Amino acid sequence: RRRTALARSIDVKLLQRAMLRGRREFVHPIIARFMGSEAQLLELLKVLDDVAADSAHNIPVATKALATIADALAMYAGPAGGLRSGPASNPSFRAAFEALQPSALRLEEAVELLAAQRDRWLQQRRAETMMRAARHYEGAVARCISNGVLTCVCATKATQPPSFGDWAVSEVPSRIDLAGGWSDTPPLCYEHGGAVVTAAIAIDGACALGCRARRVRESKIVISIEGAQAPPTVCTQLDDLNDYCSPLAAGALVKTVLLFSGFVRLRGEAPPLEQQLIDAGGGLEVVTWSRLPTGSGLGTSSILAAAIVASVGAVHGVAYDKADLVHAVLLVEQMLTTGGGWQDQAGGVYPALNISFSPPSLPLTVRTEALQLPREALQRLDAHLALIYTGKTRLARNLLQDVLRRWYSANTAIVANVDALVANAHTMREALLAGDIAAVGASLSAYWEQKKLMCDAEPAAVTRMLAKLRPLIHGATLCGAGGGGFMALITKEPNADAAIAAALREEECVLYRVNVHERGLCTWFEKADAPAAEEQ
């Protein structure tokens, strides 16, 4: 008995050390040794509660402790507990979640409230109730991660807005992630540190994404998507903006940007929308466009958010530099509740080829370094770059939860892979600067292997396509964190579109003309060439 007590004491110290150290340590074997009885589980949970409460000033440590509690509850519940993924919205956890709101963060109080409700549920001694508690702890983890992201700072500067009725137009290229993706995803980007190499691209000679906004006389907000069959979304009162944080709601992204930018206010003593718009000088019309399919992997939603922020800001007399625009999209996506990393907007906002970094610390900051290639080297890269739409889309948000669980458990494979992702970003940087096309291709293929370790195996159709393309290419990857619909290739021979099309003639895919875009996001003013929204 004395030996058992000593072993348990050692495990407690090992667990505390693992939680508090910056280096990630795999703790599942320690947790498993507390699964012998309910008393042991409660002892483990108390240790983790104390770590989280004592680390209220340290968001990464507190988050790690809460994620480990979720792991312990799920492990104790076992298969009898049912699915681990699911809703985390039981009203009994509302007070704890409110204490995690960024506007009034009270992390120590939240830990106590979470523990109190968890212990009440544990008294039921039902596996499914334990699993539900685990899901709510993962909800708390998500809120802590959001608080980490919200530490980033976004500065603006005053600028001259367009004349009344004139458009502020922002056009922005999509992007290909060439190396390092996933390391930009919170919390990896501020706990481990991230590095991603991206290329801003034009597809078939044009930017695929953009937004235009203008003042209108009538006191309303009109949001439309160019070319869409659906009618415009019209907001005439504040209640029309309440669904801004429901990503699938009509106009949700634009509504979120309007609230983020201060164009309108929704909370507190906010006047009616009509009065706010009158005071601001008129209503607003916003039109967005995307010529890319959903799940493309080319960073569509985040890059489009950057264009909306830029255009709405310009109408409002506010300008952002590129670094602040990257931060602005991070903040907008937290408000929208989609979350996400920073590589998409960094890849589209900045021109041509870049490597972006975030250090392993808070506040979250993103710094971008241009990869200055001579014109001839860029033209050579364009000649060897190809883009195929495979039609096999996978959304990154569906993969993120599993990645975060493995990250917080310090799964040795995923920790090593994140190290490799960042190292490969630096390898890709050197290959691009050296103009070594074969090395660029090799780094691109290494990146695809790393992505597969993060988010599962490649679709069968993609495996088949890659086998047919292998004699023609130095390397390839599906684009985006989720391995999206587009595949980027580095070909052995320049201008190899005909050979690629012949190799894939039996596959259901589309080959696009692509080149590195040398301007990045651009905003300009245009005279209105159509009646204002209220006169249509």
Side-chain angles (χ1 to χ4, degrees):
R1 187 177 300 168
R2 205 175 288 143
R3 189 178 297 130
T4 301
L6 177 60
R8 187 83 64 231
S9 175
I10 292 171
D11 279 341
V12 166
K13 286 183 169 25
L14 289 172
L15 185 62
Q16 290 171 329
R17 186 182 69 178
M19 292 294 106
L20 296 171
R21 289 174 70 173
R23 187 163 56 98
R24 309 204 75 78
E25 297 180 30
F26 188 49
V27 297
H28 272 194
I30 300 175
I31 295 173
R33 292 195 286 271
F34 285 85
M35 296 293 110
S37 69
E38 184 179 327
Q40 292 175 12
L41 172 65
L42 292 173
E43 180 185 0
L44 170 68
L45 296 177
K46 179 64 168 63
V47 171
L48 294 168
D49 287 340
D50 290 345
V51 170
D54 292 344
S55 303
H57 61 287
N58 189 325
I59 290 175
V61 171
T63 310
K64 189 193 310 185
L66 295 176
T68 306
I69 291 174
D71 273 348
L73 291 167
M75 189 183 296
Y76 196 84
L83 293 175
R84 183 166 174 183
S85 296
S89 54
N90 189 282
S92 58
F93 280 86
R94 185 176 298 139
F97 288 166
E98 286 177 353
L100 293 171
Q101 289 297 317
S103 57
L105 180 59
R106 307 180 307 280
L107 213 158
E108 186 173 358
E109 179 184 338
V111 171
E112 294 175 0
L113 291 168
L114 285 165
Q117 181 55 38
R118 174 201 72 209
D119 291 346
R120 281 192 287 271
W121 278 15
L122 291 185
Q123 289 172 11
Q124 299 178 26
R125 292 180 170 81
R126 296 171 56 208
E128 58 267 32
T129 306
M130 286 190 180
M131 192 63 80
R132 288 176 65 204
R135 290 202 291 265
H136 284 78
Y137 265 89
E138 288 190 335
V141 166
R143 286 164 172 80
C144 286
I145 293 170
S146 180
N147 278 296
V149 175
L150 292 173
T151 62
C152 74
V153 176
C154 175
T156 61
K157 58 185 177 183
T159 187
Q160 184 67 34
S163 300
F164 188 92
D166 289 351
W167 293 103
V169 183
S170 294
E171 191 177 68
V172 60
S174 41
R175 70 92 188 90
I176 295 173
D177 53 315
L178 298 174
W182 278 109
S183 74
D184 67 299
T185 304
L188 281 65
C189 64
Y190 62 75
E191 292 185 0
H192 177 279
V196 184
V197 178
T198 54
I201 57 166
I203 298 175
D204 289 340
C207 288
L209 305 163
C211 173
R212 61 180 182 269
R214 64 175 175 176
R215 289 283 190 186
V216 294
R217 297 195 183 283
E218 195 169 327
S219 298
K220 63 182 180 182
I221 296 167
V222 182
I223 303 167
S224 58
I225 300 173
E226 191 174 88
Q229 297 295 322
T233 299
V234 180
C235 304
T236 58
Q237 53 190 357
L238 290 179
D239 283 349
D240 296 330
L241 297 167
N242 276 331
D243 60 355
Y244 74 92
C245 56
S246 300
L248 298 181
L253 180 56
V254 173
K255 292 175 184 179
T256 305
V257 170
L258 295 177
L259 294 168
F260 163 78
S261 65
F263 200 98
V264 292
R265 290 182 291 121
L266 191 59
R267 307 295 180 209
E269 299 297 321
L273 179 60
E274 181 180 13
Q275 187 60 55
Q276 291 190 51
L277 294 175
I278 291 172
D279 293 345
L284 184 71
E285 181 179 8
V286 182
V287 181
T288 64
W289 62 90
S290 169
R291 302 181 179 97
L292 296 172
T294 302
S296 67
L298 299 182
T300 304
S301 58
S302 298
I303 297 173
L304 185 59
I308 299 169
V309 170
S311 286
V312 168
V315 170
H316 202 40
V318 169
Y320 301 79
D321 69 21
K322 293 187 185 305
D324 287 312
L325 202 50
V326 171
H327 284 185
V329 174
L330 280 168
L331 298 173
V332 165
E333 291 185 332
Q334 289 302 315
M335 291 178 64
L336 186 62
T337 71
T338 53
W342 43 254
Q343 60 133 320
D344 295 345
Q345 62 265 34
V349 164
Y350 286 94
L353 300 163
N354 296 278
I355 183 168
S356 299
F357 307 94
S358 59
S361 61
L362 291 176
L364 172 58
T365 56
V366 183
R367 175 178 63 84
T368 299
E369 170 192 312
L371 303 184
Q372 303 285 0
L373 272 65
R375 166 77 51 172
E376 298 76 16
L378 267 181
Q379 291 174 340
R380 184 163 177 256
L381 179 63
D382 282 343
H384 287 268
L385 182 62
L387 191 65
I388 297 169
Y389 184 63
T390 68
K392 308 303 177 186
T393 61
R394 297 186 299 163
L395 300 184
R397 66 173 176 267
N398 298 329
L399 309 167
L400 180 59
Q401 185 64 69
D402 180 62
V403 170
L404 294 185
R405 285 172 186 159
R406 288 185 287 148
W407 173 253
Y408 275 118
S409 71
N411 176 284
T412 51
I414 197 171
V415 172
N417 197 45
V418 174
D419 288 340
L421 283 163
V422 171
N424 190 48
H426 292 280
T427 300
M428 175 64 82
R429 173 185 180 274
E430 296 307 313
L432 288 166
L433 291 174
D436 188 336
I437 295 296
V440 169
S443 185
L444 193 67
S445 281
Y447 180 34
W448 176 232
E449 295 304 315
Q450 292 161 355
K451 283 188 186 181
K452 288 191 289 183
L453 288 174
M454 295 297 284
C455 63
D456 71 22
E458 64 195 11
V462 172
T463 302
R464 192 170 60 246
M465 290 181 202
L466 286 173
K468 293 177 179 180
L469 291 169
R470 194 158 289 118
L472 304 175
I473 62 174
H474 286 303
T477 184
L478 286 183
C479 299
F486 277 93
M487 180 193 298
L489 312 174
I490 297 295
T491 62
K492 292 179 180 178
E493 298 297 326
N495 306 310
D497 286 4
I500 292 170
L504 299 179
R505 60 185 175 276
E506 296 177 357
E507 301 292 339
E508 294 183 2
C509 59
V510 181
L511 181 63
Y512 285 81
R513 184 165 54 89
V514 62
N515 62 276
V516 175
H517 190 279
E518 297 185 57
R519 293 193 307 277
L521 183 142
C522 296
T523 301
W524 66 91
F525 298 161
E526 277 183 6
K527 288 291 182 185
D529 56 1
E534 68 272 18
E535 298 171 350
Q536 292 181 353

